[in-house]
Amino acid sequence: MMGLGALAASQPAWLKAAIVIAGTFILEDVATVLSAIAVQAHQISLPLALGSLYAGVAIGDMGLYGLGYAGWHWPALHRFLTLPGQDRTREWFLSHTIRIVAISRFVPGARLPLYTACGYFRVPFWKFALTAICATLVWTSLLFALSLKVGHWLLLHQAGWRWAGIIGFVLCIFVIGRLIAHFQRMSA
């Protein structure tokens, strides 16, 4: 009987890429951690994992911008968007686009409202996209590198308990992100 690792490793590259990209739409940090661990377990190649992560995160970021842009064009979507007043806020977004996009990449819970607001307030797409892609390259690469190190240690030293360690590491990344976002909402 084929083991789970061998089964995953035998899948075509396009399917592995599609799974990683889809994972970024659900929980991108968790997808990053799991992709790095899959690289350590030789279930996916490093270039395919990173390329798929970068593509999935960038597509998701552009989608958030597009959602905000669509909300500006279609009043029926306004009820789903929580945004401040338009005139002064639009000017602020236009003059601080790079800072807003770059910082929100590193602050849990900030991307959804801020990237959507960038689209809603029609900041220049090229400026948004270029900044989002650069920030994604930095953040995803750092988290991926950390996950490679932790994943390597877990797979090498934890034998039968490695899956518990991997689940614990993934939960830790997830919970820390949620706690930071929760404390930010409380202090606002």
Side-chain angles (χ1 to χ4, degrees), residues 84-125:
Q86 288 194 351
D87 295 332
R88 292 184 67 191
T89 306
R90 181 168 192 269
E91 289 303 318
W92 185 82
F93 268 86
L94 287 172
S95 62
H96 295 90
T97 302
I98 293 173
R99 188 176 324 164
I100 292 166
V101 175
I103 291 172
S104 64
R105 167 55 54 195
F106 299 92
V107 178
R111 285 188 310 275
L112 173 63
L114 293 175
Y115 285 16
T116 305
C118 284
Y120 186 84
F121 292 117
R122 300 167 320 281
V123 302
F125 179 76

Side-chain angles (χ1 to χ4, degrees), residues 111-173:
R111 285 188 310 275
L112 173 63
L114 293 175
Y115 285 16
T116 305
C118 284
Y120 186 84
F121 292 117
R122 300 167 320 281
V123 302
F125 179 76
W126 66 269
K127 193 175 186 181
F128 168 84
L130 187 60
T131 306
I133 289 169
C134 289
T136 294
L137 290 173
V138 172
W139 170 251
T140 302
S141 297
L142 289 172
L143 182 56
F144 190 83
L146 171 68
S147 301
L148 274 176
K149 294 285 187 193
V150 172
H152 177 71
W153 186 85
L154 287 170
L155 293 173
L156 190 63
H157 297 293
Q158 295 302 309
W161 288 95
R162 69 178 172 227
W163 296 110
I166 291 169
I167 290 169
F169 181 59
V170 168
L171 284 174
C172 182
I173 295 292

Side-chain angles (χ1 to χ4, degrees), residues 34-46 49-50 144 148:
L34 293 177
S35 295
I37 291 171
V39 166
Q40 285 295 349
H42 306 291
Q43 295 172 349
I44 188 171
S45 71
L46 184 117
L50 268 177
F144 190 83
L148 274 176

Side-chain angles (χ1 to χ4, degrees), residues 16-29 31-32 35 47-64 105 111 115 132-133 136-137 140:
K16 294 176 188 180
I19 290 169
V20 171
I21 290 169
T24 65
F25 297 154
I26 299 166
L27 289 169
E28 69 185 44
D29 291 346
T32 302
S35 295
L48 182 62
L50 268 177
S52 300
L53 286 167
Y54 295 149
V57 173
I59 292 167
D61 290 350
M62 302 315 132
L64 292 176
R105 167 55 54 195
R111 285 188 310 275
Y115 285 16
I133 289 169
T136 294
L137 290 173
T140 302

